[in-house]
Amino acid sequence: MSTDKLFLETTIQIERIFGRKKEEIVKFLSDKEALSSNYVLMEFKRTMLKDCISLYSFLKEEKDLEGTLMRLSELRVYEHRTAVRISKILSRLSDSNTLEYEKVLTKLEDLIESELLEEFFYRVNLIDETKCGLANEEVHKNETYSLNLSCKREEKKCEIEAFVLKNEESFRKLLNELQTNEEFEGVCNVIKEIFKDCKKARGRKNCWKLGDCIISLEAPKGYKIFTTDHHYKQICNSLEKEILLLQDLKHATTHHF
């Protein structure tokens, strides 16, 4: 299996920056042609960058690490995924497995203001099939940091309708293949909606639910979609696109890891 050309989706971008095996992933990618997209950048901003900003707010409000860790523990109850991501960020900011408030705050500022996006773009080219306006939103700082990632159907900030029309046949293929799997029920319902009215593809409620499908459609021919998310298997099979799961790579090519 040739892996010279890889399309990096959101979870692998997160893992290569914050994961426990980030050094090995970076080494594996060092001789590969890596591609990603502005849509992936948007997903990365609304997860990791937004979570960095949330963590910064917790630290400033609590004024110590003990209170911040308590907030994080409470967050796990109702926003588990966000709490897990923030834990990854804290792990990245730790110094020899210890946390010091001022050092964490300084490192987090560097991460938010420059380092995070520098690492996202490192040795990666981007394509822009959806013209997602949120991908271009920048962080602003006053008392704390802010990032406007609101996405409303009535406010057109992208070309997702044109993307849907361009890929209508592929969306129909996805609907046909995915509707037999209960895990994709929500995705299939959205696809049915956008066939009736393309404008329904706009806005976070529907567009973000179609994220994995959009990213899979964006990946050019000849590129394997590199991911940690097993849901891409059925999507890529439906589209006759190749996939490389990080989990499979570890088992199949242990000399890389």
Side-chain angles (χ1 to χ4, degrees):
M1 178 174 64
S2 172
T3 53
D4 291 332
K5 293 184 176 182
L6 297 172
F7 189 88
L8 312 186
E9 65 77 58
T10 314
T11 64
I12 206 69
Q13 285 281 51
I14 292 171
E15 283 300 303
R16 80 182 182 104
I17 297 172
F18 292 99
R20 286 179 294 177
K21 298 286 186 179
K22 56 181 179 288
E23 290 86 2
E24 291 90 339
I25 294 171
V26 170
K27 183 178 179 182
F28 172 73
L29 290 171
S30 63
D31 61 347
K32 309 294 185 297
E33 185 177 321
L35 191 67
S36 195
S37 73
N38 256 29
Y39 192 92
V40 171
L41 176 60
M42 176 277 290
E43 287 198 337
F44 186 81
K45 283 186 174 183
R46 73 175 174 85
T47 52
M48 301 314 296
L49 184 51
K50 198 77 172 174
D51 292 338
C52 283
I53 291 170
S54 295
L55 175 57
Y56 187 85
S57 295
F58 292 169
L59 288 163
K60 296 294 279 188
E61 289 166 12
E62 300 297 332
K63 298 182 172 56
D64 60 36
L65 283 167
E66 185 178 359
T68 300
L69 292 172
M70 185 66 71
R71 287 275 291 273
L72 185 56
S73 178
E74 293 168 355
L75 189 67
R76 287 182 184 276
V77 177
Y78 57 93
E79 286 190 41
H80 181 73
R81 288 185 179 181
T82 301
V84 168
R85 292 194 300 263
I86 291 178
S87 294
K88 283 179 179 282
I89 295 165
L90 272 172
S91 179
R92 156 76 181 253
L93 299 173
S94 66
D95 190 6
S96 300
N97 296 317
T98 61
L99 290 169
E100 294 180 35
Y101 179 79
E102 292 298 337
K103 285 185 178 179
V104 167
L105 208 58
T106 300
K107 287 182 178 180
L108 189 54
E109 288 173 347
D110 292 339
L111 204 59
I112 293 169
E113 292 177 12
S114 61
E115 289 180 6
L116 189 59
L117 291 184
E118 285 173 5
E119 293 190 40
F120 178 93
F121 285 106
Y122 180 68
R123 296 175 63 94
V124 177
N125 293 316
L126 254 64
I127 59 173
D128 189 8
E129 294 290 303
T130 62
K131 305 292 185 292
C132 177
L134 299 190
N136 302 319
E137 290 290 341
E138 296 184 354
V139 173
H140 299 282
K141 185 179 183 183
N142 292 307
E143 292 293 321
T144 184
Y145 293 99
S146 63
L147 178 64
N148 179 17
L149 292 179
S150 66
C151 184
K152 299 177 181 178
R153 186 170 297 160
E154 60 271 18
E155 298 173 3
K156 187 176 181 181
K157 295 182 179 180
C158 66
E159 298 296 334
I160 191 64
E161 293 164 74
F163 180 83
V164 169
L165 289 171
K166 176 184 175 183
N167 294 281
E168 183 176 356
E169 186 178 335
S170 294
F171 272 110
R172 292 195 183 280
K173 189 181 292 186
L174 282 169
L175 179 60
N176 185 56
E177 295 289 333
L178 300 180
Q179 61 187 351
T180 59
N181 187 332
E182 288 183 1
E183 284 190 274
F184 292 99
E185 183 179 358
V187 172
C188 290
N189 288 339
V190 172
I191 295 175
K192 290 174 185 176
E193 277 191 60
I194 65 177
F195 283 155
K196 293 176 183 175
D197 182 358
C198 262
K199 289 181 182 176
K200 294 287 183 70
R202 293 211 308 260
R204 58 181 291 172
K205 180 183 175 183
N206 283 352
C207 183
W208 293 3
K209 194 169 285 187
L210 290 176
D212 293 353
C213 295
I214 291 169
I215 290 168
S216 298
L217 287 166
E218 285 186 309
K221 187 177 180 180
Y223 282 81
K224 290 181 178 67
I225 296 174
F226 192 20
T227 180
T228 70
D229 187 350
H230 72 279
H231 289 104
Y232 276 89
K233 273 190 171 181
Q234 189 166 350
I235 294 171
C236 290
N237 284 341
S238 303
L239 297 172
E240 298 179 345
K241 291 196 172 185
E242 294 183 273
I243 180 175
L244 179 62
L245 280 169
L246 179 62
Q247 301 89 309
D248 292 344
L249 184 67
K250 289 178 182 178
H251 295 308
T253 57
T254 52
H255 59 281
H256 282 303
F257 285 82

